[in-house]
Amino acid sequence: MTELTSLTIAEARAKLSAKEITSVELTDAYIAAIEAANETINAYVDVTPEQAREMARASDARIAAGKAGPLEGIPLGIKDLFATEGVHTQACSHILDGFKPRYESTVTRNLWNDGAVMLGKLNMDEFAMGSSNESSYYGPVKNPWRAKGSNLDLVPGGSSGGSAAAVAAHLCAGATATDTGGSIRQPAAFTGTVGIKPTYGRCSRFGIVAFASSLDQAGPIARDVRDAAILLKSMASVDPKDTTSVDLPVPDYAASIGQSIKGMKIGIPKEYRVEGMPEEIEALWQQGIAWLKDAGAEIVDISLPHTQYALPAYYIVAPAEASSNLARYDGVRYGLRVDGKDIVDMYEKTRAAGFGREVKRRIMIGTYVLSAGYYDAYYLRAQKVRTLIKRDFELAFQAGVDAILTPATPSSAFGIADEDLAADPVKMYLNDIFTVTVNMAGLPGIAVPGGLDHKGLPLGLQLIGKPFEEETLFKTAHVIEQAAGRFTPAKWW
Amino acid sequence: MSVDLATVKRVARLARIAVSEEEAERMTGELNGILGFVEQLSEVNVDGVEPMTSVTPMRMKTREDIVMDGDKAADVVANAPNSDRDFFLVPKVVE
Amino acid sequence: MSIVDVRTPDPKRFIPGATGDWEVIIGMEVHAQVLSNSKLFSAASTEFGNAPNANVSLVDAAMPGMLPVINEECVRQAVRTGLGLKAKINHRSIFDRKNYFYPDLPQGYQISQYKDPIVGEGKIIISVGPDRQGQFEDVEIGIERLHLEQDAGKSMHDQHPSMSYVDLNRSGVALMEIVSKPDLRSSDEAKAYLTKLRSILRYLGTCDGNMDEGSMRADVNVSVRRPGEPFGTRCEIKNVNSIRFVGQAIEYEARRQIAIIEDGGVIDQETRLFDPNKGETRSMRSKEDAHDYRYFPDPDLLPLEFDDDFVEALKADLPELPDDKKERFVRDLGLSVYDASVLVSEKAIADYFEAVAEGRDGKIAANWVINDLLGALNKAGKTIEETPVSPAQLGGIIDLIKDGTISGKIAKDLFEILWNEGGDPAELVESRGMKQVTDTGAIEKAVDEIIAANPDQVEKAKAKPSLAGWFVGQVMKATGGKANPQAVQALVKSKLGIEE
Ligand SMILES: [Mg+2]
Ligand SMILES: [Zn+2]
């Protein structure tokens, strides 16, 4: 059984179509793995075995009938941020208690249309706000990775911590995730998995619980680059229900894997060499540069001068949008209601009880920066800085750079309930320092494992591409993957 | 810029989140930490820079004026904490 | 907002107070529901009066993850209205979120346009009067802007002792908020403004103007000042839902403010409600709960952009508006300005008139429509849409007069019959023997009889020819009004030997 769960999507697909295995067998293997592991890892907040088996049976029937879709019979985990009809959809927040939507997100509908099987809903930071998965109402997720000789529990990163952990621990073949400031790439880097945040507008946001609308993008977390390409192809679409979805056909991303990167220009931004960055991260970066050079790419130094302002600007824009997006959680139409003596009291008590600390903090910041007299100084200025950040990238691309290589995170996974980080929210925010620029500029970014640090924990490299040139990222990331190898945690759970 | 306790309470009220005295005090510290962090944006010269309105340059999609939705009151109130005959019920609102 | 006083204080409009004259300054924000099938950002119906939450999509109910997609017809309607208001059309406008909590506002924000509306400055010409001399005065009222926004749902407070019932059917319906400049100076002007605005919207077909169903509501900003002095502090009277109430609210509010100031008090800037039962305004919200709407561009929506061709195509398709129609009626049909104004005041009346006037004398048609039809409708409390007499029927009457089949007097009787019973005018005239008698023999007989019976009157009339009219009247009476008046006149004169 364990053998089945170690198959990549591409491998499983081949075995399914060769009728060597059935989707029901594969699905059962995953359900068994989840049952054994989830109490420890806590990657799933809701498992849907009945539905999974039913979908798997339908897949097997379609395979038998020669009508298999691109993801036929592949069992996936879905981040709790995606609306799944009739199934737990609570953004891992207390305020959405009991919420079961009567609708399906476009991304998950695309997956089911392509034949995928849903195993359940994955843990995450509440409303996708966090970098450690510790803000979940359902408790933290444990990283399947542990430092050598240590049994200290580590975070899987966040906010897509459940997605990353489930993929790394082989509790699903692949997972959906979302990324507002790094929430796909940072957990991917922390768990030795591959995660891509596509260009803003590539995946429909319809049916995804909104955090910060101008930054949110869905993407996959997968075992390897090819699987990520296969999943993104199915997740992405042009959606008339999302005004910001872009009218461009979705390419066959997997076709770019294995293509040469000879002659490609890879930019190395000097501003990502931040103060206090561990030597190991610097070494990883240099290793990445060497691999790409070996593969025939040209390495060029570039400057993205507004990089350091991306994170502070993000911590204005994202909370501002969130403060408004989360206003609908008021106890009137769905979710938690705490009764009060009048309507205002009901609102205040419901929202006080329903939101966790980090979410409240961000709603407060967002409300403050939008309030009368502060809008220009904060929000408007941050949106102008955003224009400058985007312009930095545009200039680099205009100068002939095809992709940009950076580290994915400033460190490897840290411990759960790290006191240092808990005491200072800003310190936690610094986790996204390398990833957040990409969201601010709406660009695609992929995190791919580059190696292990001295503790034996995975480290990731990030590639940033031009808008809608995800193919460039897949083929370049594949080169790194070929050189670095793939990383699987030793099972301890 | 920094916030004081009174401002935090005013903002909490604006955001409709009940806060205890203790929470408000803790939040004051946290918010000031974050505001201190974002303060560095004031260094940036943004003269003549357009604020970003959309990251992807594109024209907004529109919809034809056709009725294709509605008639699903049961779905609309399905998750409501309190409803009656397809209405949502809330504590009485007085003007 | 540039607040410039463009009006010269006019003593005719002053309100006398205990300590001298006052001038009232009025600005209006009208919320006009866009005529469209579906909502501004969802595909649910805008139909009025459906079952609770029947016209609600998951977008309107603000379910998690739902996104707005704009209805292109609402955009066209806003541009059409802007063109009808001779206003600047902004080729790029932005939708903002206006954030506040209210149970009938499911998203926790209203999508509206704040800094960059779709339509900028424009104007409306209103006609105020008649004054004691029967004169009308044209006044230009500035339009500050028009923007698109979502309507809210409805809460009902009378269903339960401790709960309010929320219905989101109206939630997300498109509204145009049309903001005037503070150019109005009397309740009559304000009423004329609303009437004219409603008429323009109806001509354009962009709003049905039905105030009973809430398709048009006015927020009225009222302040008072000594004539010529700077503007005073204003109060906003929210959601007044009839033109008559707007007049009453302004009258009350102006006097309330004058009384406060004359008593040495000051006006608090506040929001007030008009109570139609008491004819009073009262304070609605305390300042303690002052709003901070935290406007910012809606990140779910891109800027709304269109090009010149889009606007030009709409312009080319624009119907004739009341002012242009009035001008044409005066110029081409020879109507008086007054008559033309009456006829264009409502599109339905103008349409009726044009149907009657088609192929007929415009002035005669105008007289019949204004004096007879509108008179009768007014008396019966009916609107033009409810008229029992169709344009074809009224046109038939006019034709029968013209070809001499009936007299003008009989025509009035015929109108009466058509109003009460309906039918075909020509057939009715035939079947009820209403035809004019042109047979001189019969008329002569009647004339002879009257002359023979009234020798005294004959003598008087011979001395004073103007008295011949008495004989004409008697003959008409004797023939039941059916004699041709011209023939009677001629016969009477010749029998009495009066020179023409
Ligand atoms: Mg208003
Ligand atoms: Zn409004």
Side-chain angles (χ1 to χ4, degrees), chain A residues 197-229:
Chain A
K197 180 204 92 76
T199 314
Y200 184 82
R202 181 68 286 180
C203 287
S204 169
R205 293 184 297 114
F206 180 86
I208 301 174
V209 177
F211 161 15
S213 312
S214 75
L215 301 157
D216 296 345
Q217 255 302 290
I221 291 181
R223 307 252 180 99
D224 64 11
V225 175
R226 184 182 305 274
D227 279 8

Short mmCIF file of all heavy atoms in Angstrom, two decimals, chain A residues 197-229:
data_model
loop_
_atom_site.label_atom_id
_atom_site.label_comp_id
_atom_site.label_asym_id
_atom_site.label_seq_id
_atom_site.Cartn_x
_atom_site.Cartn_y
_atom_site.Cartn_z
N LYS A 197 3.19 29.65 -7.56
CA LYS A 197 2.15 30.68 -7.58
C LYS A 197 2.14 31.22 -8.99
O LYS A 197 3.10 31.84 -9.42
CB LYS A 197 2.45 31.82 -6.62
CG LYS A 197 1.35 32.89 -6.64
CD LYS A 197 1.83 34.26 -6.20
CE LYS A 197 2.31 35.12 -7.34
NZ LYS A 197 1.23 35.69 -8.17
N PRO A 198 1.09 30.96 -9.75
CA PRO A 198 1.09 31.45 -11.12
C PRO A 198 0.86 32.96 -11.18
O PRO A 198 0.64 33.60 -10.15
CB PRO A 198 -0.07 30.69 -11.76
CG PRO A 198 -0.98 30.35 -10.64
CD PRO A 198 -0.11 30.20 -9.41
N THR A 199 0.92 33.50 -12.36
CA THR A 199 0.65 34.92 -12.58
C THR A 199 -0.74 35.27 -12.06
O THR A 199 -1.68 34.47 -12.22
CB THR A 199 0.68 35.23 -14.09
OG1 THR A 199 1.84 34.62 -14.65
CG2 THR A 199 0.71 36.73 -14.34
N TYR A 200 -0.87 36.44 -11.45
CA TYR A 200 -2.18 36.89 -10.99
C TYR A 200 -3.14 36.91 -12.19
O TYR A 200 -2.82 37.46 -13.23
CB TYR A 200 -2.07 38.30 -10.39
CG TYR A 200 -3.38 38.79 -9.80
CD1 TYR A 200 -3.77 38.42 -8.53
CD2 TYR A 200 -4.22 39.62 -10.54
CE1 TYR A 200 -4.97 38.86 -7.99
CE2 TYR A 200 -5.43 40.06 -10.02
CZ TYR A 200 -5.79 39.67 -8.74
OH TYR A 200 -6.99 40.11 -8.22
N GLY A 201 -4.28 36.25 -12.03
CA GLY A 201 -5.25 36.20 -13.13
C GLY A 201 -5.24 34.88 -13.89
O GLY A 201 -6.07 34.64 -14.74
N ARG A 202 -4.25 34.00 -13.55
CA ARG A 202 -4.15 32.72 -14.27
C ARG A 202 -5.19 31.70 -13.74
O ARG A 202 -5.84 31.00 -14.51
CB ARG A 202 -2.72 32.17 -14.14
CG ARG A 202 -2.45 30.85 -14.85
CD ARG A 202 -2.49 30.94 -16.37
NE ARG A 202 -3.85 31.07 -16.91
CZ ARG A 202 -4.11 31.15 -18.22
NH1 ARG A 202 -3.12 31.15 -19.09
NH2 ARG A 202 -5.34 31.26 -18.64
N CYS A 203 -5.33 31.65 -12.40
CA CYS A 203 -6.35 30.78 -11.81
C CYS A 203 -7.50 31.65 -11.33
O CYS A 203 -7.27 32.71 -10.76
CB CYS A 203 -5.79 30.00 -10.62
SG CYS A 203 -4.65 28.68 -11.08
N SER A 204 -8.70 31.18 -11.55
CA SER A 204 -9.86 31.95 -11.10
C SER A 204 -9.90 32.01 -9.59
O SER A 204 -9.61 31.04 -8.90
CB SER A 204 -11.13 31.29 -11.61
OG SER A 204 -12.26 31.88 -10.97
N ARG A 205 -10.28 33.17 -9.06
CA ARG A 205 -10.45 33.31 -7.61
C ARG A 205 -11.88 33.00 -7.20
O ARG A 205 -12.21 33.05 -6.00
CB ARG A 205 -10.07 34.73 -7.19
CG ARG A 205 -8.58 35.02 -7.35
CD ARG A 205 -8.21 36.41 -6.84
NE ARG A 205 -8.87 37.45 -7.58
CZ ARG A 205 -9.79 38.27 -7.07
NH1 ARG A 205 -10.14 38.18 -5.81
NH2 ARG A 205 -10.34 39.20 -7.82
N PHE A 206 -12.75 32.68 -8.17
CA PHE A 206 -14.15 32.41 -7.84
C PHE A 206 -14.27 31.21 -6.90
O PHE A 206 -13.79 30.11 -7.23
CB PHE A 206 -14.96 32.18 -9.11
CG PHE A 206 -16.42 31.89 -8.84
CD1 PHE A 206 -17.33 32.92 -8.69
CD2 PHE A 206 -16.86 30.58 -8.70
CE1 PHE A 206 -18.66 32.66 -8.41
CE2 PHE A 206 -18.20 30.32 -8.42
CZ PHE A 206 -19.10 31.35 -8.27
N GLY A 207 -14.88 31.43 -5.77
CA GLY A 207 -15.10 30.35 -4.82
C GLY A 207 -13.93 30.10 -3.88
O GLY A 207 -13.95 29.15 -3.12
N ILE A 208 -12.93 30.96 -3.95
CA ILE A 208 -11.84 30.87 -2.97
C ILE A 208 -12.08 31.97 -1.94
O ILE A 208 -12.26 33.13 -2.30
CB ILE A 208 -10.46 31.08 -3.64
CG1 ILE A 208 -10.24 30.02 -4.73
CG2 ILE A 208 -9.35 31.04 -2.60
CD1 ILE A 208 -8.96 30.23 -5.53
N VAL A 209 -12.15 31.58 -0.68
CA VAL A 209 -12.39 32.56 0.37
C VAL A 209 -11.30 33.64 0.26
O VAL A 209 -10.11 33.34 0.27
CB VAL A 209 -12.35 31.90 1.76
CG1 VAL A 209 -12.52 32.93 2.86
CG2 VAL A 209 -13.42 30.81 1.86
N ALA A 210 -11.74 34.89 0.13
CA ALA A 210 -10.79 35.96 -0.17
C ALA A 210 -10.03 36.40 1.07
O ALA A 210 -10.59 36.54 2.15
CB ALA A 210 -11.53 37.15 -0.76
N PHE A 211 -8.74 36.61 0.91
CA PHE A 211 -7.91 37.24 1.94
C PHE A 211 -7.59 38.64 1.44
O PHE A 211 -8.16 39.62 1.90
CB PHE A 211 -6.68 36.36 2.20
CG PHE A 211 -5.50 37.01 2.88
CD1 PHE A 211 -5.59 38.22 3.53
CD2 PHE A 211 -4.25 36.37 2.88
CE1 PHE A 211 -4.48 38.81 4.16
CE2 PHE A 211 -3.15 36.93 3.51
CZ PHE A 211 -3.26 38.16 4.13
N ALA A 212 -6.71 38.76 0.44
CA ALA A 212 -6.39 40.06 -0.14
C ALA A 212 -6.56 39.92 -1.65
O ALA A 212 -5.70 39.35 -2.33
CB ALA A 212 -4.98 40.49 0.22
N SER A 213 -7.66 40.45 -2.15
CA SER A 213 -8.09 40.17 -3.52
C SER A 213 -7.07 40.49 -4.60
O SER A 213 -6.99 39.80 -5.61
CB SER A 213 -9.37 40.94 -3.83
OG SER A 213 -10.30 40.77 -2.79
N SER A 214 -6.28 41.53 -4.41
CA SER A 214 -5.35 41.93 -5.47
C SER A 214 -4.07 41.10 -5.43
O SER A 214 -3.19 41.28 -6.28
CB SER A 214 -5.03 43.43 -5.38
OG SER A 214 -4.14 43.69 -4.31
N LEU A 215 -3.95 40.23 -4.45
CA LEU A 215 -2.72 39.44 -4.28
C LEU A 215 -2.97 37.93 -4.34
O LEU A 215 -2.09 37.16 -4.70
CB LEU A 215 -2.07 39.79 -2.94
CG LEU A 215 -1.68 41.25 -2.73
CD1 LEU A 215 -1.59 41.59 -1.25
CD2 LEU A 215 -0.36 41.56 -3.42
N ASP A 216 -4.16 37.52 -3.95
CA ASP A 216 -4.47 36.08 -3.84
C ASP A 216 -4.35 35.37 -5.19
O ASP A 216 -4.90 35.83 -6.17
CB ASP A 216 -5.93 35.87 -3.38
CG ASP A 216 -6.22 36.40 -1.97
OD1 ASP A 216 -5.26 36.67 -1.23
OD2 ASP A 216 -7.41 36.53 -1.64
N GLN A 217 -3.66 34.27 -5.22
CA GLN A 217 -3.66 33.39 -6.39
C GLN A 217 -3.59 31.95 -5.93
O GLN A 217 -2.89 31.62 -4.98
CB GLN A 217 -2.46 33.67 -7.29
CG GLN A 217 -2.80 34.43 -8.57
CD GLN A 217 -3.83 33.76 -9.46
OE1 GLN A 217 -3.57 32.74 -10.07
NE2 GLN A 217 -5.02 34.33 -9.52
N ALA A 218 -4.31 31.11 -6.63
CA ALA A 218 -4.25 29.67 -6.34
C ALA A 218 -3.12 29.05 -7.14
O ALA A 218 -2.74 29.55 -8.19
CB ALA A 218 -5.57 29.02 -6.72
N GLY A 219 -2.61 27.96 -6.61
CA GLY A 219 -1.59 27.21 -7.32
C GLY A 219 -1.45 25.85 -6.65
O GLY A 219 -2.04 25.62 -5.59
N PRO A 220 -0.68 24.95 -7.24
CA PRO A 220 -0.52 23.62 -6.66
C PRO A 220 0.73 23.49 -5.79
O PRO A 220 1.69 24.23 -5.95
CB PRO A 220 -0.36 22.74 -7.90
CG PRO A 220 0.35 23.63 -8.89
CD PRO A 220 -0.08 25.05 -8.59
N ILE A 221 0.69 22.53 -4.88
CA ILE A 221 1.90 22.04 -4.23
C ILE A 221 2.00 20.57 -4.62
O ILE A 221 1.01 19.83 -4.54
CB ILE A 221 1.86 22.24 -2.71
CG1 ILE A 221 1.96 23.75 -2.40
CG2 ILE A 221 3.02 21.47 -2.02
CD1 ILE A 221 1.95 24.09 -0.92
N ALA A 222 3.18 20.16 -5.09
CA ALA A 222 3.33 18.81 -5.65
C ALA A 222 4.67 18.20 -5.26
O ALA A 222 5.55 18.87 -4.73
CB ALA A 222 3.19 18.86 -7.16
N ARG A 223 4.79 16.92 -5.56
CA ARG A 223 6.04 16.20 -5.22
C ARG A 223 7.20 16.62 -6.09
O ARG A 223 8.34 16.61 -5.65
CB ARG A 223 5.83 14.69 -5.42
CG ARG A 223 4.64 14.15 -4.70
CD ARG A 223 4.99 13.30 -3.54
NE ARG A 223 3.74 12.84 -2.95
CZ ARG A 223 3.21 11.64 -3.17
NH1 ARG A 223 3.86 10.75 -3.91
NH2 ARG A 223 2.06 11.32 -2.64
N ASP A 224 6.90 16.92 -7.36
CA ASP A 224 8.00 17.33 -8.24
C ASP A 224 7.47 18.35 -9.26
O ASP A 224 6.29 18.69 -9.27
CB ASP A 224 8.66 16.12 -8.92
CG ASP A 224 7.73 15.37 -9.87
OD1 ASP A 224 6.63 15.90 -10.16
OD2 ASP A 224 8.11 14.27 -10.31
N VAL A 225 8.39 18.83 -10.07
CA VAL A 225 8.07 19.92 -10.99
C VAL A 225 7.02 19.48 -12.02
O VAL A 225 6.08 20.20 -12.33
CB VAL A 225 9.35 20.42 -11.69
CG1 VAL A 225 9.02 21.48 -12.73
CG2 VAL A 225 10.33 20.98 -10.65
N ARG A 226 7.18 18.26 -12.51
CA ARG A 226 6.23 17.78 -13.52
C ARG A 226 4.81 17.71 -12.95
O ARG A 226 3.85 18.15 -13.58
CB ARG A 226 6.65 16.39 -14.04
CG ARG A 226 5.74 15.87 -15.16
CD ARG A 226 6.14 14.47 -15.63
NE ARG A 226 7.55 14.40 -16.02
CZ ARG A 226 8.00 14.70 -17.24
NH1 ARG A 226 7.16 15.08 -18.18
NH2 ARG A 226 9.28 14.60 -17.51
N ASP A 227 4.68 17.19 -11.74
CA ASP A 227 3.36 17.12 -11.11
C ASP A 227 2.75 18.52 -10.93
O ASP A 227 1.55 18.73 -11.12
CB ASP A 227 3.43 16.42 -9.75
CG ASP A 227 3.44 14.89 -9.89
OD1 ASP A 227 3.55 14.40 -11.03
OD2 ASP A 227 3.35 14.20 -8.84
N ALA A 228 3.62 19.45 -10.56
CA ALA A 228 3.13 20.83 -10.39
C ALA A 228 2.60 21.36 -11.72
O ALA A 228 1.55 22.03 -11.77
CB ALA A 228 4.25 21.72 -9.86
N ALA A 229 3.30 21.03 -12.80
CA ALA A 229 2.89 21.48 -14.13
C ALA A 229 1.56 20.84 -14.53
O ALA A 229 0.67 21.49 -15.07
CB ALA A 229 3.97 21.15 -15.15
#
